[in-house]
Every structure is written in structure tokens, then in C-alpha cells.
């Protein structure tokens, strides 16, 4: 497994970026930059490309609705160029509250659109003329939908790579199947190793049955808070707010993908309670209602022996990248945590 780290999308970016070189030396091999209704991820990834030497960089994620397929391809090619071939294009559907609320774009056909976007991106990177007839995208735009003056074009620049890795964020059965079929990487969220195969196994197997061998093995990325030591148990509670936010408030009642995931894990009653509390404004109570088992399963917090056992469990599940959020309050503490994790992995 390789070590990654995930940068927060709310504030403090320059300070975190300034410490990435230390984390790179300590063992971090890839940094993931999120994009929500925040600063865009692209400008920050370009900044990181000049601030790091060996570390790979990934968007985690760029929403599929907010940029055209060709622009996504151009952006990925540009970031791959300025990073000397270190970029991974992370894509995802986000959710209707953000896509329709913040961007004013209809949230429709996420699976079909994702497949077509990936196909168009790979055509752009190979410098083919971009001619594409899909259900959701048609290039060039035909006369009946525009002026009729559009012409087939190919990317002017020669990309560093004609096949930039694509990583899909997915947690629904059909989305996960698509990721296993067409993407180099899969980014789920709140992975419970003991229930991964039960929840996602059929989708992974179905997708990989149609996977092009040229894609190579599927890179499965998990994101977890990290603290290693005999006296770090209290830090586990720092993971409660994010779990409560996603399960309780990241989506409307009846349209919350993360709440659905918690239910699929077997936490039906707890998921309902967290959502009820969060949507009624009782956020602290929602955080307290996050099940202890889920909290521990989705974190790497505890003594060295415990974390080593968790890493073995992740490896047995097929996890290939562990992206961690060190919970230490100082840069020295964060570096030390990464070094300990590296030693346990080796």
C-alpha cells in the first residue's frame, strides 16, 4: 500500500501546502485535493505541483457537471504537464444540493455522463480529433443544437502522457461497478473494512469482469484519520463531526448517499437518528450518535499494534492507497505519524 494525504477544502491551504515537502520526505506518495463549493481544486493543484518534487497529485474530486468533458481533459493534461506526469484525474458526481444549488446545473444521468466523459477525455489525451456521439454529449455540436459551425478539433499541445489515470469517487452499486470497469482508481468514502465485500463486492466483481486489462489492477483508495500511540484514543472523537455531517446533513432526507451507505453497513436506526438530529439543528447530538464501531472502523487511531492489525485488514480487502489525515496539532507530530505509518507498512 502507498501512503496518501487529503487536504481540507476549507481554509489553511497555504499552511498545509508549506508542510507537504516534509510529509513527502516522511513517506507520503500522493496528495488529494478536494473541491466542493470551496476554492477550486485546480488552482491549488497547480500550486502544489511547484511545491513538491516526487509526490503524485489528484483531484478528489472534480464534479462531472461543472466543466465540459473537453475542459476536464484539457485541465488534466495541463496539471499533468506542470507536475511532470504526476497527476490523477479524480471525478465524481457530487450531489444535487451542490450541483443544482451552487452551480444551477441539472443533476441527471450521473453514470451515463461519467462513462462518456472518461471516453472523451481519453480521446483528447491521445490527440485524436474529438468526434463523439453519445447519449449525453455530442461533439461537434450538430446544427440542430447550435450554429452548425463547430468543427472537429484535437488538443494543440502534446500531453506528457496519452493516458492520464482516472479515479472515480463512487459508493452506489452502479457507480462502483462503473469505476471497477473503466477507471484506474476507485475512491469510496467511510470504508468499513469488515463490511467492504458485503456492501461493494458484487459491484466490484461485476465491473472487473468487463475491465480492460490495459488499465492494470484497480487502485482502491481509502481516506482515514490517523493517530498512532498509547494515549491517542481521545482523538478519535475528532472524526465524529465529519461522519455526522455526511450521514446527517450532506443531502436531503431521502436523497443522502452517505446516509444510504450507513444503512447498507447495517446502521439503519443510527443513520435515521443522526439525520433527524442533524437536520433539526442538533449537530452535537448527531455527532454523539455516530456509532463507536463505525467510528473505529473508518479510522486509524490507536497503539502501533492496533494500527498494524488495521493495515493488514485493509490490505486483505484489496486496499492499495491509504490517504490519511494526521490528527496531531503540530507539523512535527504530523510528520512523526506519517513516519510511524510508513514503518508499520514496511
Amino acid at each position: 500500500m502507498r501512503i496518501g494525504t487529503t487536504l481540507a477544502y476549507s481554509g489553511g491551504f497555504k499552511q498545509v501546502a508549506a508542510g507537504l515537502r516534509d510529509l513527502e520526505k516522511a513517506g507520503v506518495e500522493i496528495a488529494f485535493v478536494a473541491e466542493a463549493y470551496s476554492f477550486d481544486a485546480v488552482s491549488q493543484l497547480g500550486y502544489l505541483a511547484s511545491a513538491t518534487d516526487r509526490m503524485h497529485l489528484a483531484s478528489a474530486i472534480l464534479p462531472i457537471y461543472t466543466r465540459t468533458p473537453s475542459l476536464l481533459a484539457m485541465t488534466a493534461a495541463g496539471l499533468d504537464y506542470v507536475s511532470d506526469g504526476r497527476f490523477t484525474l479524480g471525478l465524481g458526481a457530487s450531489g444535487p444540493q451542490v450541483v443544482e444549488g451552487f452551480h444551477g446545473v441539472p443533476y441527471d444521468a450521473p453514470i451515463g455522463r461519467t462513462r462518456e466523459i472518461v471516453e472523451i477525455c481519453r480521446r483528447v489525451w491521445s490527440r485524436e480529433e474529438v468526434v463523439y456521439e453519445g447519449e449525453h454529449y455530442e461533439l461537434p455540436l450538430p446544427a440542430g443544437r447550435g450554429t452548425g459551425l463547430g468543427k472537429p478539433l484535437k488538443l494543440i499541445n502534446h500531453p506528457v502522457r496519452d493516458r492520464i489515470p482516472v479515479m472515480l469517487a463512487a459508493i452506489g452499486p452502479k457507480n462502483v461497478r462503473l469505476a471497477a470497469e473503466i477507471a484506474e482508481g476507485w475512491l469510496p468514502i467511510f470504508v468499513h473494512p469488515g463490511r467492504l465485500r458485503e456492501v461493494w463486492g458484487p459491484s466490484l466483481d461485476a465491473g472487473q469482469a468487463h475491465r480492460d486489462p490495459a488499465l492494470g489492477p484497480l487502485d482502491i483508495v481509502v481516506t482515514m484519520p490517523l493517530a498512532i500511540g498509547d494515549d491517542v484514543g481521545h482523538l478519535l472523537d475528532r472524526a465524529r463531526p465529519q461522519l455526522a455531517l455526511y450521514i446527517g446533513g450532506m443531502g436531503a432526507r431521502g436523497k443522502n448517499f452517505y446516509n444510504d451507505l450507513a444503512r447498507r453497513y447495517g446502521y439503519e436506526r443510527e443513520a435515521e437518528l443522526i439525520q433527524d438530529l442533524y437536520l433539526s439543528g442538533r449537530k452535537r447530538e448527531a455527532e454523539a450518535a455516530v456509532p463507536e464501531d463505525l467510528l473505529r472502523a473508518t479510522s486509524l487511531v490507536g497503539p502501533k499494534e492496533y494500527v498494524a492489525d488495521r493495515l493488514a485488514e485493509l490490505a486483505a480487502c484489496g486496499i492499495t492507497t491509504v490517504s490519511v489525515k494526521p490528527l496531531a496539532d503540530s507539523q512535527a507530530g504530523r510528520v512523526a505519524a506519517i513516519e510511524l505509518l510508513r514503518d508499520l507498512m514496511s
Side-chain angles (χ1 to χ4, degrees):
M1 288 187 292
R2 64 175 174 171
I3 301 173
T5 191
T6 302
L7 279 66
Y9 47 71
S10 56
F13 175 81
K14 286 188 176 180
Q15 292 86 342
V16 173
L20 268 188
R21 282 189 182 274
D22 293 335
L23 297 183
E24 186 176 48
K25 293 175 184 176
V28 171
E29 298 177 62
I30 183 168
F32 298 89
V33 179
E35 181 175 282
Y37 41 101
S38 53
F39 289 153
D40 73 291
V42 175
S43 59
Q44 298 183 73
L45 284 159
Y47 183 96
L48 292 182
S50 64
T52 55
D53 297 316
R54 303 179 308 279
M55 182 184 292
H56 286 249
L57 304 170
S59 53
I61 57 168
L62 296 184
I64 61 171
Y65 296 98
T66 58
R67 298 167 175 88
T68 67
S70 294
L71 179 57
L72 284 166
M74 294 162 61
T75 299
L79 287 169
D80 206 46
Y81 171 74
V82 297
S83 66
D84 296 318
R86 293 184 285 135
F87 179 66
T88 293
L89 177 60
L91 298 171
S94 185
Q97 287 190 321
V98 175
V99 171
E100 296 185 356
F102 194 65
H103 295 284
V105 179
Y107 188 90
D108 65 341
I111 296 169
R113 287 186 182 278
T114 299
R115 182 183 290 276
E116 293 186 15
I117 286 169
V118 172
E119 290 175 354
I120 293 168
C121 282
R122 288 174 174 158
R123 190 162 298 187
V124 171
W125 297 331
S126 65
R127 298 194 72 245
E128 300 175 39
E129 286 191 344
V130 184
V131 177
Y132 188 86
E133 292 187 19
E135 182 179 349
H136 307 287
Y137 300 101
E138 192 169 357
L139 302 169
L141 199 65
R145 295 175 54 202
T147 64
L149 299 176
K151 59 182 294 186
L153 298 171
K154 64 181 179 181
L155 188 68
I156 294 173
N157 310 84
H158 290 258
V160 174
R161 294 180 288 177
D162 60 8
R163 195 63 176 263
I164 296 168
V166 172
M167 176 182 66
L168 297 183
I171 54 177
K174 293 180 181 179
N175 307 62
V176 172
R177 176 174 178 167
L178 181 69
E181 178 189 346
I182 71 168
E184 280 86 357
W186 169 46
L187 177 66
I189 192 170
F190 306 138
V191 171
H192 190 311
R195 301 179 189 179
L196 186 148
R197 287 298 307 175
E198 175 187 344
V199 171
W200 286 312
S203 296
L204 289 170
D205 293 343
Q208 290 181 319
H210 298 279
R211 184 178 181 82
D212 182 350
L215 290 171
L218 182 66
D219 180 23
I220 302 178
V221 182
V222 299
T223 302
M224 293 184 161
L226 173 71
I228 305 174
D230 295 327
D231 57 350
V232 298
H234 63 287
L235 295 176
L236 194 62
D237 285 333
R238 293 190 183 181
R240 288 185 181 276
Q242 187 184 35
L243 279 164
L245 166 63
Y246 276 74
I247 296 171
M250 196 65 80
R253 196 183 301 276
K255 196 69 173 179
N256 181 324
F257 308 127
Y258 313 101
N259 191 278
D260 292 343
L261 176 59
R263 293 171 184 269
R264 290 166 66 202
Y265 278 155
Y267 302 106
E268 292 91 348
R269 183 180 60 81
E270 294 89 342
E272 182 177 1
L273 175 61
I274 292 168
Q275 188 174 61
D276 287 343
L277 291 169
Y278 206 96
L279 294 181
S280 64
R282 297 154 68 183
K283 296 182 180 179
R284 290 295 178 87
E285 293 178 60
E287 293 169 12
V290 173
E292 189 78 11
D293 173 65
L294 179 61
L295 194 64
R296 292 192 178 279
T298 55
S299 303
L300 287 173
V301 177
K304 284 196 298 184
E305 297 77 11
Y306 171 80
V307 173
D309 289 343
R310 296 297 321 287
L311 290 172
E313 185 180 13
L314 291 171
C317 290
I319 305 303
T320 50
T321 300
V322 179
S323 182
V324 295
K325 299 178 181 179
L327 299 176
D329 293 321
S330 67
Q331 177 67 0
R334 289 186 285 272
V335 169
I338 294 294
E339 290 175 338
L340 270 173
L341 181 65
R342 180 198 63 202
D343 292 344
L344 289 175
M345 283 186 170
S346 61

